[in-house]
């Protein structure tokens, strides 16, 4: 089992139609046909959406995405129309809500990897490949790859794993032209972001993007971008291949859930317990630290 420990009821706002409750985001459509995306403070781990929110997390993700969209706008257009709060929306939506273009989404997680870890490492250890791409011998957990690679995945429902697929499979599913656009755009955006992060003392190990086509047929960067939820950020001064790297993400949550202190068995069908206050506080601080290091701005929301 997996999914929501406690699935929230969607907020009802006049003039908005609720479309979807995701792991973190709630999606609505307004009367103009635009998408209204609200980043909540929900957090997920091990395919469960946990019952304990991380205060300000949704605002951090939204504001960091907006900062990155600005850094990338010369490379690829994005889906943001405005940050204007819909009339009648709760005050808590401020800072975490984006009005976006409605797109024909490509059903692929566009993943770029510059370093070997996670599911890529598992496949590499079995076959010396990642998503079917051959890699050299001698790599280990945290190794930098000879060049960034495009390693797509299928998009999963809440409570299910994304599944890595080959480039050829993506081309079969969405067409050769779209697959080529996805690969080129993903690697271009990753390379720009990697260089920006590196200047700030952060390694961007890997990240995933979502793309869609607008009514004119242009490929548009959508959803969130380059946040601790969609990326692996590592402190460059602590990088040491051959071990798991410290990271700016929800590692405090994962570590506690798998510790004896939680009393939770991942392999059971029982949902995970609520997080203790100290884990919530430490996780919030890690998200804010990532925001401040990357943007150079102070978080005062």
């Amino acid at each position: 089992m997996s999914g929501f420990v406690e699935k929230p009821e969607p907020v009802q706002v006049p003039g908005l139609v609720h479309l979807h409750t995701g792991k973190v985001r709630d999606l609505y459509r307004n009367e103009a046909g635009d998408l209204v995306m609200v980043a909540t403070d929900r957090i997920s781990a091990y395919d469960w959406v946990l019952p304990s929110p991380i205060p300000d997390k949704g605002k951090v993700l939204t504001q960091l995405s907006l900062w990155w969209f600005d850094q990338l706008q010369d490379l690829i257009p994005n889906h943001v129309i405005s940050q204007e709060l819909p009339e009648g929306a709760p005050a808590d939506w401020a800072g975490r809500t984006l009005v976006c273009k409605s797109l024909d989404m490509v059903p692929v997680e566009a993943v770029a990897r510059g370093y070997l870890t996670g599911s890529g490492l598992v496949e590499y250890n079995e076959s010396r490949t990642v998503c079917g791409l051959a890699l050299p011998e001698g790599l280990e957990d945290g190794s930098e790859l000879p060049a960034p690679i495009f390693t797509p995945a299928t998009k999963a429902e809440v409570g299910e794993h994304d599944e890595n697929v080959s480039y050829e499979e993506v081309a079969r599913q969405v067409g050769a032209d779209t697959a080529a656009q996805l690969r080129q755009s993903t690697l271009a955006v990753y390379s720009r972001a990697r260089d920006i992060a590196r200047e700030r003392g952060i390694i961007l190990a890997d990240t995933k993007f979502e793309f869609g086509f607008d009514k004119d047929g242009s490929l548009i960067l959508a959803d969130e971008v380059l946040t601790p939820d969609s990326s692996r950020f590592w402190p460059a001064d602590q990088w040491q291949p051959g071990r798991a790297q410290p990271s700016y993400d929800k590692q405090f949550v994962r570590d506690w859930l798998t510790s004896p202190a939680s009393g939770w068995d991942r392999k059971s069908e029982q949902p995970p317990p609520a997080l203790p206050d100290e884990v919530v506080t430490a996780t919030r601080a890690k998200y804010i630290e990532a925001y401040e290091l990357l943007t150079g701005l102070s978080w005062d929301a």
Side-chain angles (χ1 to χ4, degrees):
M1 287 181 60
S2 54
F4 288 90
V5 175
E6 300 168 3
K7 188 166 184 178
E9 288 295 320
V11 177
Q12 301 298 324
V13 178
L16 298 185
V17 176
H18 176 257
L19 301 177
H20 180 65
T21 297
K23 290 181 181 179
V24 173
R25 283 166 185 76
D26 293 335
L27 299 181
Y28 297 80
R29 191 174 308 285
N30 66 17
E31 292 173 338
D34 304 319
L35 201 64
V36 177
M37 192 167 73
V38 185
T40 73
D41 291 336
R42 295 193 292 268
I43 192 165
S44 64
Y46 301 118
D47 299 320
W48 283 96
V49 181
L50 304 178
S52 308
I54 306 298
D56 290 330
K57 176 175 173 282
K59 292 182 180 180
V60 172
L61 297 184
T62 301
Q63 298 307 312
L64 185 56
S65 290
L66 287 168
W67 184 85
W68 278 115
F69 282 136
D70 284 346
Q71 313 306 309
L72 303 168
Q73 58 186 346
D74 61 314
L75 285 181
I76 187 166
N78 63 71
H79 68 160
V80 178
I81 297 173
S82 78
Q83 299 180 63
E84 188 174 345
L85 205 59
E87 188 173 345
D92 181 61
W93 280 19
R96 63 175 76 242
T97 302
L98 297 177
V99 181
C100 306
K101 295 178 182 177
S102 184
L103 304 173
D104 181 13
M105 297 301 294
V106 181
V108 172
E109 293 276 7
V111 180
R113 300 175 191 267
Y115 293 75
L116 186 64
T117 193
S119 62
L121 177 66
V122 173
E123 182 184 334
Y124 174 82
N125 286 337
E126 293 172 349
S127 60
R128 296 298 183 262
T129 63
V130 176
C131 289
L133 297 172
L135 293 174
E137 292 284 342
L139 301 179
E140 52 191 351
D141 193 356
S143 289
E144 185 171 10
L145 301 177
I149 56 175
F150 175 60
T151 59
T154 56
K155 291 169 68 171
E157 296 298 316
V158 174
E160 297 180 11
H161 276 302
D162 294 342
E163 182 179 344
N164 293 344
V165 293
S166 68
Y167 178 78
E168 291 72 23
E169 176 61 20
V170 171
R172 188 189 69 77
Q173 289 185 15
V174 302
D177 289 347
T178 296
Q181 279 187 275
L182 282 182
R183 179 166 62 183
Q184 188 277 328
S185 296
T186 297
L187 293 176
V189 172
Y190 170 81
S191 296
R192 167 73 62 81
R194 174 201 60 196
D195 293 347
I196 291 172
R198 186 175 286 161
E199 292 170 359
R200 290 152 169 80
I202 292 179
I203 290 172
L204 174 59
D206 55 41
T207 191
K208 63 181 180 181
F209 303 113
E210 294 196 29
F211 294 92
F213 288 98
D214 66 11
K215 61 181 185 300
D216 299 320
S218 298
L219 189 68
I220 307 293
L221 183 58
D223 199 58
E224 64 175 324
V225 287
L226 297 155
T227 72
D229 271 15
S230 64
S231 317
R232 282 189 177 92
F233 293 116
W234 299 336
D237 61 358
Q238 298 178 54
W239 175 54
Q240 184 181 325
R243 62 170 174 83
Q245 312 299 317
S247 58
Y248 296 99
D249 61 8
K250 49 195 173 189
Q251 196 59 46
F252 287 116
V253 172
R254 297 190 195 99
D255 289 348
W256 183 80
L257 286 172
T258 54
S259 74
S262 76
W264 181 57
D265 179 3
R266 271 184 72 187
K267 297 175 182 176
S268 74
E269 295 192 351
Q270 295 302 309
L275 301 173
D277 290 347
E278 62 269 20
V279 173
V280 170
T281 299
T283 303
R284 177 182 183 274
K286 191 57 68 174
Y287 275 82
I288 290 173
E289 183 183 5
Y291 171 87
E292 292 185 336
L293 286 171
L294 287 165
T295 67
L297 303 171
S298 175
W299 181 261
D300 53 9

